[in-house]
Amino acid sequence: MAVLPALLALGLLEPLASAAAVGHYGPDLTPHVSVFQGTIAGGNNFPGVARPFGVVKLGPDLYDGRSDAYSGYLSTGNFSGFSMMHEQGTGGAPKYGTVSQLPLVGNISQPLSHLTVGRSGADSGSVGYYRATTAQGVSVELSASAHAGIYRYSFPRASPGNNILVDVSHVLPSFRGMGLGQNYEGGSFEIFPDGHYEGHGVYNNGWNEAPDWTIYFCGHFDAPYTTGKVYVGTDESGSVEQPSKSANSSSGSTRVGGLFTFGRPEVISRVGISWISREKACSNVQEEIPRGTRFMSVVEDTKAEWNSKVLSKITTTAGNQTSLSLLYTSLYFMHLIPTNQTGENPGWTSTEPYYQDIFTFWVLQPTAYEEQIRSLIDIWRHDGYLPDARSSNYNGRTQGGSNADNVLADAYVKGVRGAVNWEDGYRAMVKDAEVAPPNDPADPMASDSSTHEGRGALPDWLSLGYITPRFTRAVTRAVEYSCNDFGLYQVASGLEKADDADKYLNRSRNWRNHWNPNATSLGFSGFVVPRDESGFLSTDPVHDTGYWGDPYYEANSWAYSWNSIHDMKHMIDLMGGPERVRDRLDTMFKEGATGSSGILFDPTNEPMFNVPYLYNYVDRQDLSVSRSRQVAKQYYGIGTNGLPGNSDAGAMETWLLWNMIGLYPITGQTTFLIHSPWFESLTIDLGNNKKLHITSTGGDGNGDTDFYVQSLKVNGRKWTKNWLSWNDVFENGGTLEFQLGSTAVNWTNGELPPSPAS
Ligand SMILES: *[C@@H]1O[C@H](CO)[C@@H](O)[C@H](O)[C@H]1NC(C)=O
Ligand SMILES: *[C@@H]1O[C@H](CO)[C@@H](O)[C@H](O)[C@H]1NC(C)=O
Ligand SMILES: *[C@@H]1O[C@H](CO)[C@@H](O)[C@H](O)[C@H]1NC(C)=O
Ligand SMILES: *[C@@H]1O[C@H](CO)[C@@H](O)[C@H](O)[C@H]1NC(C)=O
Ligand SMILES: *[C@@H]1O[C@H](CO)[C@@H](O)[C@H](O)[C@H]1NC(C)=O
Ligand SMILES: *[C@@H]1O[C@H](CO)[C@@H](O)[C@H](O)[C@H]1NC(C)=O
Ligand SMILES: *[C@@H]1O[C@H](CO)[C@@H](O)[C@H](O)[C@H]1NC(C)=O
Ligand SMILES: *[C@@H]1O[C@H](CO)[C@@H](O)[C@H](O)[C@H]1NC(C)=O
């Protein structure tokens, strides 16, 4: 790991050295990555080109007049542009799709009228490379560096009608009608005497209801065009060519842009972006993709960076091509966001790193992980609160708790230190736990309290120890605030703040105040339910799933009743003991439990991620193995529909990867539940020359059959607990040697994973 920054620099500065670098650092693993995996059927994966954590995510934007294209891509529809900025795998409503180009053949009289062009055949792509063909026969190839992109256009023939359109007003639209569509609010466009163009665009809204934000761009063509025209477009007067070479607009109703017309069939364009200035956008493209750069060298550099920084971190002897593809494709989609915007923070100047967009954190990347934690804390320093789903440099939107607390607690207990200022980190967490954020601006979909940052329902939480229906999402927030407070307990303990630790451990038990022992459903009693000062309110635990304005957000009380894993022992008591808990878990997976083909377990979303593994807490590790394996094999695949739900910045893929590894991490604790690995051998590079080796014998080598654990050695010693700790195998590396077999046996000594709040 220590050598990686040097390799990266080599890749960027000396394009020709990269092929050698790949050879030197191991095999090319990029062919195992399927960039179209999980792109449709709700997965919303981004199939275009990006570097790991790269600011630029260059890909197609599809338009069919009715479907939200969350990451730009749809398998059908017309191209509305090929743009530089995208999210990865989110839902809700699209964000970005900004800074685009679109190739168009013919005479274009109204360039700024939201033009689209049909698609010819399916797009193709691989790590570092994307190709699409328009219905007019233009092939568009894309590649990218961290802050710039390169387009290679091949028009069908030399012709005076080969155009490239730049429409500054271009964004990904939303058709959901929930007030979450993005808006263009003005911009500038200017063509310079040497032929390059510069400008900026201002946009707002989208899923996180962001206020105005600005992005700057700087574009070059590596061939002279015959004409380059600047346009201003309005609905009333249409697109009007400007006499001067620049156009400015401070209004969303006035679009600006340009049309470049080439006689030649081959055109390369290089575009830089920046959150700071036009000048920075120009220096970004000049430094990363200078004039004369061969298109394929950018592709090769991108592949080299993915190999060295990400894919080579896990190696395996597995031979099954499907499983290898699942493994490396998962790793790939886990590393597109957060975006490393260090040096590109428009909000403040700081020596700290700066990351934004949602967090997927991962032990493979100790350097990035430390930078991300520092960035979270720096956002609190300058914006007043830790972020949650920060996008376009705007904190929020917060669905449940202040879950950056969980991320910080997890990093703390897993030993992330380095340059992290943990006293400040803890102060930031205390702000979440003690100071309700101002409700300004109010969220139209939940106007009771802030969804922007922090914990909107804190007044009830502090004064009552539960959350009344005065606040929306009351039950979801209560169980998540409990978990957040447990995170404070963890960090307070580590920093030897004993009084605080007591206080927050106590508060982490307040989920119990929502537990109604008399609420029943499907023969089980005891659920977390809404309540007010006079007592519990009735609910239907199967059907009470809701959204922003409801007591439960995106999952029902069956799901949220499992949430408080830090207090599992007490939860098991409340549920009636281990046998009842096992039955209850079985019921989660029972076909028809909720009606004809209904099943309670929902693999499509985060609230139930833990559920298949909870059998470990009732000493039935074998059932964790079989349930979780069934979920992994049934719901995940390498196809375009290969994800059960929104990738959510790689969260789904992370779940799958842990299933392959044979461990399941409990967020905010040092505990890893043990289940069963897929492969005969898998090695994780933990950085600083530390490695975790996982081997298995007696299985089928692919996790399809014979997956029950018969015995286990940890670091060479017989192991009889169904869990282990961070320090056992991650802190300094280690080995896990599994003996697998076709039948479930009891290989454990009955000792259960910790329940620190019980
Ligand atoms: C897609 O493009 C074709 C050809 O230009 C056009 O006829 C069609 O209306 C477009 N579809 C949409 C949804 O814009
Ligand atoms: C495009 O415009 C030129 C000049 O106005 C004209 O000569 C030509 O016929 C037009 N081509 C098409 C395909 O309309
Ligand atoms: C637009 O703004 C730029 C930068 O401020 C300026 O150089 C240019 O002259 C302006 N163009 C017009 C048409 O106002
Ligand atoms: C490869 O793995 C997939 C997914 O687990 C499985 O369906 C398939 O049967 C395996 N192929 C072979 C040849 O074992
Ligand atoms: C994040 O970006 C900065 C600036 O480009 C760079 O110095 C740093 O190494 C990057 N971090 C990682 C983990 O790649
Ligand atoms: C724990 O919380 C209860 C009420 O929820 C309170 O009565 C008690 O004083 C608290 N203990 C500590 C140590 O804060
Ligand atoms: C549950 O029901 C029992 C029997 O009706 C009653 O005695 C008890 O008070 C109820 N508990 C709660 C918390 O409502
Ligand atoms: C497994 O064996 C251990 C040790 O004999 C025992 O304590 C435990 O109860 C057993 N677990 C089950 C589920 O039978």
Side-chain angles (χ1 to χ4, degrees):
M1 191 63 203
V3 302
L4 284 174
L7 175 67
L8 174 57
L10 190 70
L12 290 177
L13 298 176
E14 280 181 77
L16 292 177
S18 62
V22 175
H24 185 66
Y25 285 88
D28 180 11
L29 296 165
T30 61
H32 294 302
V33 176
S34 168
V35 298
F36 290 100
Q37 190 249 12
T39 45
I40 65 163
N44 299 345
N45 271 341
F46 167 71
V49 182
R51 298 286 170 104
F53 308 124
V55 171
V56 164
K57 295 173 183 45
L58 176 54
D61 294 330
L62 277 300
Y63 177 87
D64 71 1
R66 60 196 154 80
S67 311
D68 280 15
Y70 297 91
S71 302
Y73 180 84
L74 295 173
S75 58
T76 58
N78 290 358
F79 295 109
S80 63
F82 294 86
S83 70
M84 306 276 285
M85 300 174 71
H86 293 94
E87 286 286 11
Q88 154 53 19
T90 50
K95 180 96 183 197
Y96 301 134
T98 34
V99 188
S100 83
Q101 293 188 351
L102 183 67
L104 295 167
V105 177
N107 287 353
I108 311 297
S109 62
Q110 290 293 323
L112 300 183
S113 56
H114 303 302
L115 296 176
T116 70
V117 61
R119 181 192 232 156
S120 169
D123 304 356
S124 60
S126 52
V127 174
Y129 177 77
Y130 197 89
R131 181 190 165 118
T133 308
T134 73
Q136 296 176 327
V138 184
S139 109
V140 184
E141 295 167 286
L142 309 171
S143 193
S145 61
H147 307 87
I150 185 165
Y151 299 74
R152 181 160 74 180
Y153 298 100
S154 308
F155 289 85
R157 64 194 64 83
S159 144
N162 292 345
N163 307 290
I164 291 169
L165 167 67
V166 180
D167 180 349
V168 178
S169 76
H170 184 268
V171 294
L172 292 171
S174 177
F175 301 96
R176 289 186 77 190
M178 297 170 68
L180 298 176
Q182 298 188 91
N183 304 304
Y184 155 78
E185 295 292 349
S188 66
F189 190 84
E190 187 170 0
I191 300 178
F192 287 78
D194 72 352
H196 87 279
Y197 67 87
E198 294 176 17
H200 79 279
V202 180
Y203 313 90
N204 64 30
N205 212 37
W207 183 76
N208 74 334
E209 299 176 341
D212 286 358
W213 56 272
T214 301
I215 193 80
Y216 301 88
F217 52 82
C218 179
H220 296 265
F221 296 104
D222 286 4
Y225 41 82
T226 40
T227 58
K229 297 174 179 171
V230 173
Y231 286 86
V232 165
T234 63
D235 288 342
E236 295 73 35
S237 44
S239 306
V240 178
E241 188 189 335
Q242 299 302 293
S244 78
K245 286 294 180 192
S246 78
N248 299 326
S249 160
S250 53
S251 145
S253 57
T254 305
R255 302 183 282 272
V256 296
L259 189 73
F260 299 89
T261 305
F262 298 80
R264 49 187 292 132
E266 295 275 337
V267 176
I268 284 190
S269 180
R270 300 170 295 113
V271 181
I273 63 172
S274 170
W275 289 89
I276 305 295
S277 66
R278 288 180 176 196
E279 291 71 24
K280 188 96 190 306
C282 290
S283 63
N284 282 341
V285 64
Q286 176 56 31
E287 279 165 26
E288 297 178 7
I289 312 183
R291 175 172 295 278
T293 304
R294 286 182 310 114
F295 177 83
M296 284 312 293
S297 77
V298 182
V299 175
E300 290 305 321
D301 283 357
T302 307
K303 285 166 63 174
E305 194 173 329
W306 278 100
N307 274 316
S308 64
K309 287 180 97 175
V310 176
L311 305 177
S312 63
K313 299 291 162 191
I314 296 195
T315 49
T316 171
T317 54
N320 180 307
Q321 290 305 317
T322 305
S323 298
L324 283 169
S325 179
L326 277 174
L327 169 63
Y328 289 108
T329 301
S330 297
L331 268 177
Y332 177 80
F333 283 114
M334 287 161 53
H335 288 86
L336 287 172
I337 58 180
T339 300
N340 181 0
Q341 243 176 261
T342 305
E344 284 284 339
N345 180 356
W348 58 85
T349 318
S350 166
T351 53
E352 291 295 280
Y354 182 63
Y355 283 75
Q356 67 137 7
D357 298 315
I358 311 161
F359 288 88
T360 322
F361 48 93
W362 179 239
V363 297
L364 294 180
Q365 302 289 348
T367 310
Y369 195 12
E370 184 188 319
E371 287 182 5
Q372 287 160 18
I373 298 300
R374 287 167 63 194
S375 162
L376 281 174
I377 297 168
D378 209 41
I379 288 168
W380 159 80
R381 252 180 227 122
H382 295 274
D383 277 1
Y385 279 96
L386 293 166
D388 193 336
R390 186 180 175 95
S391 159
S392 63
N393 308 303
Y394 182 70
N395 269 3
R397 217 160 163 224
T398 301
Q399 295 162 295
S402 52
N403 291 338
D405 298 341
N406 307 357
V407 174
L408 288 187
D410 200 60
Y412 187 83
V413 299
K414 286 167 186 161
V416 177
R417 297 291 183 272
V420 179
N421 179 336
W422 274 110
E423 287 292 336
D424 274 7
Y426 181 68
R427 270 187 215 114
M429 295 170 77
V430 169
K431 177 86 177 279
D432 280 342
E434 302 295 343
V435 185
N439 188 19
D440 180 30
D443 187 329
M445 294 170 78
S447 58
D448 52 283
S449 57
S450 178
T451 60
H452 175 32
E453 54 199 0
R455 302 192 205 172
L458 205 54
D460 274 8
W461 190 244
L462 294 182
S463 63
L464 301 170
Y466 54 84
I467 299 173
T468 66
R470 281 200 298 137
F471 293 103
T472 55
R473 289 158 286 126
V475 183
T476 297
R477 282 163 149 178
V479 297
E480 295 199 0
Y481 290 6
S482 295
C483 184
N484 302 152
D485 283 335
F486 179 74
L488 273 97
Y489 157 74
Q490 290 286 57
V491 180
S493 307
L495 297 176
E496 295 178 359
K497 298 176 192 295
D499 291 349
D500 276 21
D502 283 353
K503 170 176 154 182
Y504 289 116
L505 184 62
N506 199 22
R507 270 174 53 171
S508 82
R509 300 181 180 119
N510 281 347
W511 69 275
R512 300 174 183 178
N513 297 334
H514 282 269
W515 189 267
N516 180 359
N518 291 345
T520 60
S521 174
L522 308 177
F524 292 87
S525 303
F527 290 89
V528 287
V529 303
R531 67 166 298 176
D532 59 19
E533 286 87 340
S534 60
F536 297 123
L537 305 171
S538 73
T539 185
D540 173 355
V542 173
H543 296 111
D544 53 15
T545 303
Y547 204 36
W548 288 96
D550 302 311
Y552 301 86
Y553 183 82
E554 289 192 352
N556 60 15
S557 11
W558 269 87
Y560 281 111
S561 293
W562 296 113
N563 212 84
S564 304
I565 296 185
H566 58 284
D567 201 6
M568 198 69 197
K569 186 169 183 301
H570 190 78
M571 185 200 301
I572 291 167
D573 289 345
L574 289 177
M575 287 183 175
E579 296 285 303
R580 287 301 282 159
V581 167
R582 199 200 60 215
D583 288 349
R584 194 164 170 149
L585 286 167
D586 287 347
T587 302
M588 294 293 299
F589 296 95
K590 197 156 116 197
E591 294 282 346
T594 65
S596 53
S597 60
I599 175 169
L600 284 161
F601 178 71
D602 174 8
T604 69
N605 212 353
E606 284 86 344
M608 299 198 209
F609 266 17
N610 296 320
V611 170
Y613 296 106
L614 297 180
Y615 291 99
N616 277 41
Y617 286 90
V618 291
D619 198 21
R620 289 303 303 269
Q621 193 269 350
D622 57 316
L623 294 175
S624 288
V625 171
S626 53
R627 285 293 179 211
S628 66
R629 188 57 45 84
Q630 184 217 334
V631 171
K633 294 280 180 174
Q634 178 180 342
Y635 294 107
Y636 291 79
I638 57 174
T640 52
N641 60 355
L643 288 182
N646 298 162
S647 158
D648 280 343
M652 284 283 157
E653 286 87 348
T654 310
W655 189 95
L656 180 67
L657 195 56
W658 283 114
N659 194 264
M660 293 179 172
I661 289 169
L663 297 174
Y664 188 76
I666 302 298
T667 304
Q669 299 181 37
T670 51
T671 304
F672 289 77
L673 305 181
I674 296 167
H675 48 103
S676 164
W678 286 27
F679 307 125
E680 283 172 359
S681 166
L682 180 136
T683 301
I684 304 176
D685 181 344
L686 301 167
N688 303 317
N689 296 318
K690 294 181 288 194
K691 288 186 163 55
L692 171 57
H693 293 285
I694 299 163
T695 56
S696 68
T697 52
D700 72 349
N702 195 47
D704 290 312
T705 59
D706 303 349
F707 41 55
Y708 289 108
V709 178
Q710 311 294 301
S711 66
L712 170 65
K713 285 184 186 167
V714 175
N715 299 328
R717 305 218 327 258
K718 185 174 162 68
W719 193 267
T720 53
K721 292 187 298 187
N722 69 22
W723 58 281
L724 51 77
S725 285
W726 168 262
N727 56 315
D728 291 321
V729 295
F730 286 98
E731 190 172 13
N732 301 301
T735 60
L736 298 174
E737 297 165 74
F738 287 87
Q739 177 71 42
L740 303 178
S742 58
T743 50
V745 300
N746 178 10
W747 59 276
T748 68
N749 64 4
E751 185 184 333
L752 300 175
S755 292
S758 297

